[in-house]
Amino acid sequence: MGTPDGTKKMNTSNYLRHVESMMVLPSGAGEISHLNAVILGEALASEENDLVFPCEEFSRQALVPSPEKYLGMYKRSITDPAGFWSEIASEFYWKQKWGTQVYSENLDVRKGPIKIEWFKGGITNICYNALDRNIEAGNGDKIAIYWEGNDLGQDGSLTYSSLLEKVCQLSNFLKDIGVQKGDAVVIYLPMLMELPIAMLACARIGAVHSVVFAGFSAESLAQRIVDCKAKAVITCNAVQRGPKVIHLKDIVDVALVESAKSGVSVDVCLTYENQSAMNRQDTEWKQGRDIWWQDIVPKYPTTCEVEWVDAEDPLFLLYTSGSTGRPKGVVHTTGGYMIYTATTFKYTFDYKPSDIYWCTADCGWITGHSYVTYGPLLNGATVVVFEGAPSYPDPGRCWDIVDKYKVTIFYTAPTLVRSLMREGDEYVTRYSRKSLRVLGSVGEPINPSAWRWFFNVVGDSRCPISDTWWQTETGGFMIAPLPGAWPQKPGSATFPFFGIQPVIVDEKGTEIEGECSGYLCVKSSWPGAFRTLYGDHERYETTYFKPFPGYYFSGDGCSR
């Protein structure tokens, strides 16, 4: 529990031993039992236990250039979370500042209901902070999104100013059809620019978006529409993924019939005409409910008043499939999530204003919320959004896109790395990839051999890999290497992010020290944590906080 003034009483020495242990590593290759060391950009990472050290040139320009700098920031984030996070939060726009208490938390079911609040009473808007704030800072003409279509030669881009105009038009349309603050809007779109536009348009007017991966079945979609009682559904008629056309509107039609049977009837289905995949005359249509995006949204004004919301007002729902029965609607709120995604993005990718950033994740997953839409745009970054399949028309497509847009930060999943690895190096090496400077991995542990291929072949042994451990529930990165700050070890997520206290417990819930394996838990809250499961706080407590009282239980095992 935090004390009323928000400082924490804790004994840091024990906890920080693991972090401090890296300060004694040699700065170059040196005698460490069973460990070899290689320096970034100077040699291939080969042996199982290689440590990969950042080269001096990279560290010199890094936001966190050394273990010492990290340790100073980290210690402060644990001993004075209120001061640490409110300082960072002050860099964002708040219509009204939060109260005297920066956060309040109870993670112990024995002491009452689980509660996490950050910046409560603070009034802000995440769309305003991602778009208007960057435009006011003089970045209106900077490219916000480069869009790459499924087929070669299909592309587009939006500056921050033009993105804001499109967002405002959609916000105005949603208000016009009666969507109000707190109402849910279900978004079932592929990776068109209209997907982040729809998310931001909801956020601007205080509506709660629930993005459903465009590929989920009509049954899954109907379940989600019913659970959140959606006011409207936003979709497109079809999408082409690789050579295959998927008729999304047909799936939505079936889902809307299903949800009506369960007592939730949706009056508006806004449909974007994705011409490259399907003509509008071939699209099944229900008069009075279905509306073509292109016919109506562009008629609305390009400015829209911001709905100012409390930091603890919900921003979005994202459903994860529950192991049993109905899916779990993870609820993220506005203020803490905003600060946490922006900060994790900035430090974990060593972000610089000149970077061109590409995350291959779909916005249907948490990665596409935190690290395609919100985290990057809050930092004023230029983001690549790719509609197609990474191996279409051939397995060199990713590197073709990297060269085309001069991508500097490339963030993807181990599954993709392994599938490209199987196709052979020549699809990678025929492209320059010289623009790359940081690589990232998300979604599952990356096995050391895939890590090394990614490092050696894709990154030419010169790009650090941010191997990130986090979850839908955590909102943002929890454990990840900061590029340039310390040596990397293939397959290890290394150290915790600022404010995060991971602990390993045994089955009795006792913390275990040193080299060990056990259950991965987190003690104390962090700004990006989810606040509840939609309409089911009891399940939230039972799943995540009852197994080990006093801790957030990740459901993961881990070894140190």
Side-chain angles (χ1 to χ4, degrees):
M1 292 286 284
T3 52
D5 65 347
T7 56
K8 288 195 180 175
K9 306 283 178 258
M10 63 164 282
N11 172 5
T12 55
S13 59
N14 201 17
Y15 178 65
L16 290 165
R17 272 191 320 120
H18 305 294
V19 184
E20 282 170 338
S21 67
M22 73 182 170
M23 312 263 295
V24 299
L25 288 173
S27 57
E31 287 303 308
I32 316 177
S33 62
H34 349 286
L35 289 178
N36 300 317
V38 296
I39 302 228
L40 214 54
E42 291 183 10
L44 299 182
S46 57
E47 315 247 334
E48 200 60 41
N49 285 322
D50 275 353
L51 283 185
V52 179
F53 284 82
C55 63
E56 218 170 290
E57 200 183 336
F58 191 102
S59 290
R60 242 201 327 271
Q61 60 81 55
L63 293 170
V64 180
S66 65
E68 289 79 2
K69 170 80 171 160
Y70 162 76
L71 210 50
M73 291 174 74
Y74 181 76
K75 277 182 172 167
R76 177 163 183 230
S77 76
I78 300 304
T79 53
D80 177 22
F84 181 87
W85 289 112
S86 51
E87 229 166 76
I88 291 174
S90 303
E91 295 166 22
F92 294 81
Y93 179 80
W94 297 81
K95 187 86 177 158
Q96 182 184 312
K97 204 154 183 277
W98 51 94
T100 46
Q101 210 173 357
V102 178
Y103 69 96
S104 72
E105 62 180 36
N106 172 40
L107 304 192
D108 193 333
V109 283
R110 297 165 303 194
K111 294 180 180 168
I114 299 298
K115 182 186 83 159
I116 298 170
E117 290 177 342
W118 283 81
F119 310 113
K120 194 169 173 60
I123 306 293
T124 188
N125 181 289
I126 197 169
C127 175
Y128 183 89
N129 273 287
L131 302 181
D132 311 59
R133 184 176 60 102
N134 282 311
I135 293 165
E136 282 157 23
N139 290 320
D141 293 335
K142 184 176 180 176
I143 298 289
I145 300 174
Y146 281 119
W147 178 74
E148 174 79 5
N150 181 69
D151 292 326
L152 292 167
Q154 281 183 326
D155 53 33
S157 66
L158 286 173
T159 61
Y160 270 86
S161 294
S162 46
L163 174 58
L164 176 60
E165 289 181 355
K166 288 191 180 293
V167 165
C168 287
Q169 288 180 320
L170 182 57
S171 292
N172 287 322
F173 165 78
L174 291 171
K175 287 203 312 201
D176 214 14
I177 60 166
V179 175
Q180 295 178 332
K181 180 183 172 183
D183 286 343
V185 174
V186 165
I187 303 171
Y188 189 71
L189 279 170
M191 289 295 277
L192 302 169
M193 289 194 278
E194 283 64 29
L195 179 40
I197 287 169
M199 295 164 74
L200 290 158
C202 289
R204 190 170 193 82
I205 60 170
V208 179
H209 61 72
S210 180
V211 182
V212 180
F213 175 68
F216 273 14
S217 68
E219 183 194 8
S220 299
L221 178 57
Q223 260 184 339
R224 288 155 171 76
I225 290 168
V226 170
D227 193 67
C228 71
K229 300 179 184 53
K231 263 285 174 72
V233 173
I234 302 178
T235 188
C236 73
N237 52 354
V239 63
Q240 213 183 326
R241 281 216 182 94
K244 194 171 145 207
V245 175
I246 302 159
H247 295 93
L248 298 178
K249 175 70 166 52
D250 292 354
I251 297 172
V252 172
D253 288 345
V254 176
L256 290 177
V257 171
E258 282 305 306
S259 58
K261 284 181 195 162
S262 305
V264 176
S265 58
V266 175
D267 298 332
V268 177
C269 177
L270 181 67
T271 308
Y272 185 83
E273 182 190 359
N274 194 10
Q275 287 160 328
S276 62
M278 187 184 196
N279 288 325
R280 68 164 66 187
Q281 50 271 23
D282 302 329
T283 309
E284 291 288 323
W285 207 246
K286 186 175 172 184
Q287 263 346 93
R289 180 196 71 187
D290 299 347
I291 297 171
W292 286 113
W293 180 311
Q294 284 93 329
D295 288 356
I296 187 125
V297 176
K299 293 181 176 159
Y300 280 87
T302 53
T303 56
C304 174
E305 283 297 303
V306 171
E307 179 75 44
W308 300 103
V309 301
D310 189 275
E312 283 300 329
D313 282 338
L315 171 64
F316 67 86
L317 286 178
L318 186 54
Y319 286 90
T320 67
S321 43
S323 43
T324 54
R326 70 191 187 100
K328 301 182 290 201
V330 167
V331 178
H332 280 289
T333 55
T334 303
Y337 176 84
M338 171 172 82
I339 302 310
Y340 198 70
T341 52
T343 310
T344 47
F345 173 81
K346 173 178 163 179
Y347 287 106
T348 308
F349 295 122
D350 186 48
Y351 170 71
K352 307 287 193 288
S354 54
D355 279 317
I356 308 290
Y357 167 80
W358 179 24
C359 167
T360 64
D362 191 285
C363 289
W365 314 115
I366 187 67
T367 307
H369 285 62
S370 302
Y371 301 113
V372 173
T373 304
Y374 293 116
L377 295 177
L378 286 163
N379 279 281
T382 297
V383 182
V384 175
V385 170
F386 175 44
E387 177 194 27
S391 52
Y392 177 80
D394 69 45
R397 183 67 184 275
C398 287
W399 323 121
D400 177 59
I401 293 170
V402 164
D403 282 359
K404 176 174 174 177
Y405 297 106
K406 304 283 181 279
V407 171
T408 57
I409 304 171
F410 178 70
Y411 187 38
T412 194
T415 345
L416 178 64
V417 173
R418 285 192 295 269
S419 74
L420 295 176
M421 190 172 151
R422 280 194 295 274
E423 300 289 347
D425 298 1
E426 59 280 6
Y427 282 110
V428 184
T429 52
R430 68 166 74 144
Y431 295 96
S432 152
R433 309 174 320 290
K434 281 286 173 279
S435 57
L436 289 173
R437 64 179 204 92
V438 175
L439 302 173
S441 166
V442 57
E444 58 179 294
I446 183 166
N447 49 308
S449 61
W451 193 101
R452 279 191 293 270
W453 183 82
F454 198 26
F455 180 77
N456 293 329
V457 179
V458 174
D460 285 331
S461 310
R462 54 184 182 78
C463 306
I465 298 177
S466 294
D467 173 9
T468 60
W469 176 78
W470 62 298
Q471 302 173 306
T472 303
E473 293 86 349
T474 70
F477 306 143
M478 300 289 278
I479 304 177
L482 300 186
W486 59 72
Q488 301 192 299
K489 181 177 168 186
S492 166
T494 70
F495 292 102
F497 193 74
F498 306 126
I500 304 304
Q501 300 182 62
V503 292
I504 302 176
V505 301
D506 60 19
E507 54 280 357
K508 293 190 192 74
T510 311
E511 287 185 30
I512 39 185
E513 291 292 329
E515 289 196 4
C516 60
S517 294
Y519 298 101
L520 182 52
C521 291
V522 183
K523 61 178 174 193
S524 296
S525 71
W526 60 98
F530 69 138
R531 306 306 200 236
T532 189
L533 290 175
Y534 185 70
D536 201 346
H537 199 70
E538 193 187 340
R539 187 179 182 186
Y540 169 75
E541 296 186 340
T542 306
T543 309
Y544 301 99
F545 298 95
K546 280 232 175 96
F548 301 107
Y551 300 99
Y552 163 76
F553 174 45
S554 66
D556 282 350
C558 85
S559 59
R560 175 165 55 208

